[in-house]
Amino acid sequence: MKKACAFFLLIVMLLLMEVPQNNPRIRLQSQSLIREPVSEVWQQLSDLPQVQHYVPFVNGSDITTDQKTGEGAQRIVWLENQRTVQEEVIEWDDGQGYVLRLNDVSFFLPFHDMETRYRIEPDDEQGLQTDLAITLTVRPRFGLLGQWLLTPVITPRLQQQLDELADGVRYYFETGLSVSK
């Protein structure tokens, strides 16, 4: 009996180990058609501190580095629940998109290595409409156990938030009205 319990505990400990390089990633995507030219969408999307206008649960943000745009720029984002996240631009493709990596949060998340990719391109030959694709990539914590248990729980919620983000970007960029309360 003791050997069986010890073996079971060993298996649980191995499954709970965080081995990020071996944890599979969850990739989710949402798309939206914005009835504005790519140049205007890029002008607004590349203004990193304006995130509170198109993300419903964000109260505000501020750039924390001397660099305001481009690779290496960092921002802190204040969420409506008094929590914060810190993000860094790790890729910047001027006029087409960028990738933000989550660096630090003031609360526990069931995943790590979160990256959000914003990508825009013209939808029509005249360039009067813009296709927006937002891709979220995360890895669940707790190794294989996290993959098996957390993926079915967090994936639907993350997809819902990603869809809300894409809708918020479209709404704000088309109307100029903030989605924040």
Side-chain angles (χ1 to χ4, degrees), residues 35-105:
R35 289 183 212 100
E36 294 290 331
V38 171
S39 60
E40 289 181 30
V41 170
W42 177 249
Q43 182 179 2
Q44 294 181 69
L45 190 62
S46 63
D47 190 0
L48 296 174
Q50 299 305 311
V51 67
Q52 72 272 8
H53 294 297
Y54 50 85
V55 181
F57 51 87
V58 170
N59 285 340
S61 72
D62 196 18
I63 300 296
T64 59
T65 55
D66 290 338
Q67 186 173 339
K68 303 297 182 203
T69 61
E71 198 169 311
Q74 295 180 24
R75 72 180 174 194
I76 186 168
V77 178
W78 293 279
L79 307 178
E80 63 186 13
N81 56 10
Q82 304 293 328
R83 296 180 176 164
T84 61
V85 298
Q86 294 178 5
E87 300 173 310
E88 178 181 4
V89 178
I90 59 169
E91 291 179 28
W92 186 272
D93 191 3
D94 202 39
Q96 296 180 348
Y98 53 83
V99 178
L100 291 168
R101 178 178 54 215
L102 187 65
N103 282 344
D104 192 25
V105 296

Side-chain angles (χ1 to χ4, degrees), residues 30-34 130-134 163 165-171 174:
S30 191
Q31 293 183 277
S32 191
L33 176 65
I34 303 171
T130 302
D131 275 329
L132 167 71
I134 305 174
D163 292 342
L165 172 59
D167 289 344
V169 170
R170 180 192 49 77
Y171 179 79
E174 287 181 356

Side-chain angles (χ1 to χ4, degrees), residues 80-145:
E80 63 186 13
N81 56 10
Q82 304 293 328
R83 296 180 176 164
T84 61
V85 298
Q86 294 178 5
E87 300 173 310
E88 178 181 4
V89 178
I90 59 169
E91 291 179 28
W92 186 272
D93 191 3
D94 202 39
Q96 296 180 348
Y98 53 83
V99 178
L100 291 168
R101 178 178 54 215
L102 187 65
N103 282 344
D104 192 25
V105 296
S106 64
F107 52 96
F108 174 78
L109 290 174
F111 50 83
H112 51 109
D113 298 335
M114 184 174 117
E115 294 179 0
T116 308
R117 177 179 300 274
Y118 293 83
R119 193 84 178 141
I120 60 173
E121 60 184 40
D123 179 65
D124 57 356
E125 290 180 16
Q126 295 80 27
L128 300 177
Q129 297 187 117
T130 302
D131 275 329
L132 167 71
I134 305 174
T135 305
L136 180 69
T137 306
V138 298
R139 278 191 256 202
R141 292 187 181 273
F142 313 119
L144 294 175
L145 184 64

Side-chain angles (χ1 to χ4, degrees), residues 11 14-19 22-24 140-151:
I11 295 298
L14 289 173
L15 289 174
L16 287 174
M17 285 178 36
E18 288 193 52
V19 186
N22 294 332
N23 284 4
R141 292 187 181 273
F142 313 119
L144 294 175
L145 184 64
Q147 177 190 357
W148 296 329
L149 297 177
L150 295 177
T151 300

